[in-house]
Amino acid sequence: MDTTRSPPPSLLFLAASLLAAALGWLIVFAARRPSRRRSARLPPGTTGLPLIGETLRLISAYKTPNPEPFIDDRVARHGTGVFTTHVFGERTVFSADPAFNRLLLAAEGRAVHCSYPSSIATLLGPHSLLLTRGPAHKRLHSLTLTRLGRPASPPLMAHIDCLVLATMRDWGEPAATVRLLDEAKKITFNLTVKQLVSIDPGPWTESVRREYVKLIDGFFSIPFPFAHLLPFTTYGQALKARKKVAGALREVIRKRMDEKMENGGAKGEDDEKRDMVEELLDAEGGTFSVEEMVDFCLSLLVAGYETTSVLMTLAVKFLTETPTALAQLKEEHDNIRDIKGKNQPLEWSDYKSMPFTQCVINETLRVANLISGVFRRANTDIHFKEYIIPKGCKIFASFRAVHLNTEHYENARTFDPWRWQSKNKLQSAVGASLFTPFGGGPRLCPGYELARVVVSVFLHHLVTRFSWEEAEEDRIVFFPTTRTLKGYPINLRRRSDSVV
């Protein structure tokens, strides 16, 4: 006889009800999840070819005369200022949206952190100012401000003035043909070397500078495995050049360390004459290692050498192509020279009396965009509009795409320094958020004012001493860095009323 008892009908009904409720909840949850995923997705885009993604397309695009072809094409295709691609070895979200760029710059150290392609990271070194994060970056940034962020210092102003004039005296009398970019790089490199290691222009600085050219060329090359064994590649040559530059700096630093030990660790008496190596040796009880100091100095040489020299060259190119702007600039500087007298060096007060010069510099920075943008990596999921950029994703915030957008600047791709004189949104908080040639947030370039001073002093002595014309047609290229293709050769003639 079967002794098993069937469950009461009430229990069966309860179990069936609970099962139905659970299934219903699962159905609703499953129905909702795809919708949520559809609304919380990566920005649109494509990853391109396996492994290399769209890297080759990006490189070929920036070798054209168009300043922003890669981003322009994808913004037009996807209808949004934020899109996804795959470059330099990983998936990357590109932003041409000023609101998203502001978010990234302000969120440094929290929602995002600095992250550059491995080619740049390897060539600069892990202790460079560009790559350090958190407290390490803060202390290096502070040290940079101490040495390079005070251009009002009379010794620094005097040194800039003397260095520019010394370079111009080598141009010949009464006429000469020079490649302006090469001459500008001599000025900026020698100035930075002097501030870092107190070495005057000579064979040492020139030999290091030649290697720097190869190093910088490797920044946006493809970092092939075992590239150091392939010296015929751009990246292989850059690695070799990096080793030579680091070795030269390491030798100087160790020599200074030995001298400091011999002097019993005493500090120099004149703080204004101290250089960056002295600051590093004394900072935080002398805890910086040799390799930390080498990486830091190497990265500052890159910043001082490349960007300011290109800014000087392109300002002259744009002025040459805009005669009315050149005439107004000459008038401003001739007036300064008439007031000072012909043989008096420029001072801080003279720099502050160059308003149109600052308009020219602003417009050159905007049109040429020496720093096209910055790389960041998401520390957490970032919600922006209908998109979610997932934690760990690489992000590139493009300054150039914003600066050249006609929604923000009328006739955006035309050089117009007068736009900075009018009382419009460019002088407002909105304008400040749109114009970011030196970055922003905790990583605002500490040498931005020094760069303006160097360019202003250079333009002053150029226009008050020379007239010039293009020696041959030249054009701007944007890869691997912004520059002129031929170094901008010009024919110079000394003005009859100039000082020697």
Side-chain angles (χ1 to χ4, degrees):
M1 187 174 93
D2 188 4
T3 59
T4 59
R5 298 177 59 186
S6 299
S10 58
L11 288 178
L12 289 174
F13 178 78
L14 178 61
S17 299
L18 290 172
L19 179 62
L23 288 173
W25 180 84
L26 288 173
I27 291 171
V28 170
F29 178 74
R32 284 181 177 177
R33 285 196 68 182
S35 174
R36 191 173 300 159
R37 284 180 174 175
R38 281 194 298 270
S39 63
R41 57 188 173 87
L42 268 172
T46 178
T47 56
L49 297 173
L51 299 179
I52 62 173
E54 294 192 294
T55 302
L56 298 180
R57 292 180 182 176
L58 181 145
I59 292 173
S60 62
Y62 284 118
K63 289 186 176 180
T64 69
N66 185 344
E68 202 52 85
F70 186 81
I71 291 180
D72 285 349
D73 176 68
R74 284 150 184 78
V75 168
R77 184 190 310 170
H78 303 302
T80 175
V82 183
F83 63 88
T84 304
T85 182
H86 189 288
V87 292
F88 303 115
E90 61 182 307
R91 183 180 64 185
T92 305
V93 171
F94 271 56
S95 169
D97 187 303
F100 189 52
N101 289 358
R102 288 196 302 274
L103 184 154
L104 294 175
L105 292 175
E108 171 66 32
R110 301 188 303 278
V112 299
H113 66 260
C114 184
S115 179
Y116 282 83
S118 61
S119 55
I120 296 178
T122 301
L123 291 172
L124 287 183
H127 308 295
S128 68
L129 182 63
L130 189 68
L131 300 174
T132 52
R133 301 190 301 227
H137 174 264
K138 187 174 182 179
R139 65 178 180 167
L140 291 179
H141 194 275
S142 177
L143 282 169
T144 308
L145 281 172
T146 300
R147 285 296 101 199
L148 304 180
R150 302 184 300 179
S153 164
L156 182 52
M157 281 291 296
H159 181 63
I160 294 169
D161 199 70
C162 289
L163 192 57
V164 169
L165 286 175
T167 303
M168 290 181 175
R169 290 191 189 103
D170 292 338
W171 289 354
E173 294 283 352
T177 299
V178 301
R179 292 191 182 276
L180 193 61
L181 183 56
D182 291 344
E183 300 301 310
K185 284 184 174 182
K186 290 177 185 177
I187 293 171
T188 57
F189 189 81
N190 290 336
L191 173 65
T192 309
V193 167
K194 182 70 173 180
Q195 295 301 308
L196 294 181
V197 294
S198 297
I199 296 179
D200 292 317
W204 188 91
T205 57
E206 187 57 28
S207 64
V208 173
R209 191 177 72 87
R210 284 196 297 268
E211 297 302 326
Y212 249 87
V213 175
K214 302 173 189 176
L215 187 154
I216 291 171
D217 284 344
F219 276 179
F220 294 101
S221 59
I222 297 176
F224 293 104
F226 306 107
H228 63 285
L229 301 176
L230 304 172
F232 54 86
T233 66
T234 300
Y235 190 62
Q237 291 177 353
L239 288 173
K240 185 177 179 180
R242 203 264 182 208
K243 186 175 180 180
K244 290 182 179 180
V245 173
L249 289 171
R250 192 177 295 112
E251 183 179 348
V252 171
I253 291 169
R254 283 178 173 162
K255 182 179 178 181
R256 297 282 288 278
M257 292 175 72
D258 292 341
E259 291 173 352
K260 188 175 180 64
M261 289 291 292
E262 291 175 4
N263 295 330
K267 294 184 179 181
E269 294 182 2
D270 191 346
D271 183 66
E272 290 188 333
K273 293 183 179 180
R274 287 164 57 82
D275 59 26
M276 184 61 76
V277 169
E278 287 182 79
E279 294 289 346
L280 290 168
L281 290 174
D282 291 335
E284 302 183 11
T287 57
F288 281 102
S289 69
V290 172
E291 294 311 309
E292 284 177 318
M293 290 187 276
V294 167
D295 286 357
F296 181 52
C297 289
L298 189 147
S299 65
L300 290 184
L301 274 173
V302 170
Y305 172 74
E306 187 71 15
T307 55
T308 307
S309 58
V310 174
L311 176 58
M312 294 158 71
T313 303
L314 295 183
V316 174
K317 177 175 172 58
F318 292 145
L319 287 166
T320 306
E321 296 168 352
T322 316
T324 50
L326 179 57
Q328 186 167 336
L329 188 82
K330 284 182 177 179
E331 181 180 3
E332 179 170 273
H333 288 280
D334 283 342
N335 289 338
I336 293 172
R337 186 49 58 189
D338 289 342
I339 293 171
K340 287 193 67 66
K342 291 188 175 181
N343 295 310
Q344 298 300 313
L346 290 174
E347 298 171 334
W348 183 253
S349 58
D350 301 313
Y351 166 68
K352 299 302 287 185
S353 63
M354 301 176 181
F356 188 68
T357 303
Q358 301 313 308
C359 294
V360 168
I361 292 173
N362 279 348
E363 188 67 350
T364 303
L365 287 166
R366 188 192 67 79
V367 175
N369 289 277
L370 311 180
I371 305 299
S372 61
V374 294
F375 284 97
R376 297 290 185 264
R377 190 178 298 279
N379 292 331
T380 184
D381 289 354
I382 299 174
H383 296 249
F384 182 73
K385 296 183 177 178
E386 69 269 31
Y387 308 122
I388 288 185
I389 291 83
K391 178 181 179 180
C393 186
K394 179 73 71 68
I395 308 168
F396 179 73
S398 174
F399 303 152
R400 179 160 56 206
V402 175
H403 293 167
L404 298 180
N405 191 325
T406 54
E407 292 182 8
H408 310 313
Y409 298 93
E410 186 178 355
N411 298 320
R413 304 198 177 187
T414 300
F415 179 77
D416 177 12
W418 296 278
R419 76 171 78 235
W420 298 94
Q421 290 182 321
S422 58
K423 299 296 182 182
N424 55 23
K425 72 175 184 178
L426 297 184
Q427 278 70 45
S428 67
V430 174
S433 66
L434 294 174
F435 185 58
T436 53
F438 298 104
R443 289 188 177 269
L444 176 68
C445 174
Y448 75 92
E449 189 71 51
L450 177 61
R452 287 182 174 276
V453 172
V454 173
V455 177
S456 299
V457 172
F458 175 77
L459 289 176
H460 172 82
H461 290 304
L462 182 68
V463 301
T464 57
R465 284 166 168 75
F466 297 94
S467 60
W468 68 89
E469 60 190 15
E470 291 183 349
E472 55 183 294
E473 187 177 350
D474 200 359
R475 68 180 179 88
I476 302 174
V477 292
F478 301 92
F479 192 90
T481 56
T482 302
R483 67 197 188 284
T484 63
L485 190 62
K486 300 177 182 178
Y488 198 57
I490 57 174
N491 296 322
L492 289 158
R493 291 182 301 278
R494 189 171 290 276
R495 286 176 52 173
S496 58
D497 58 344
S498 72
V499 292
V500 177

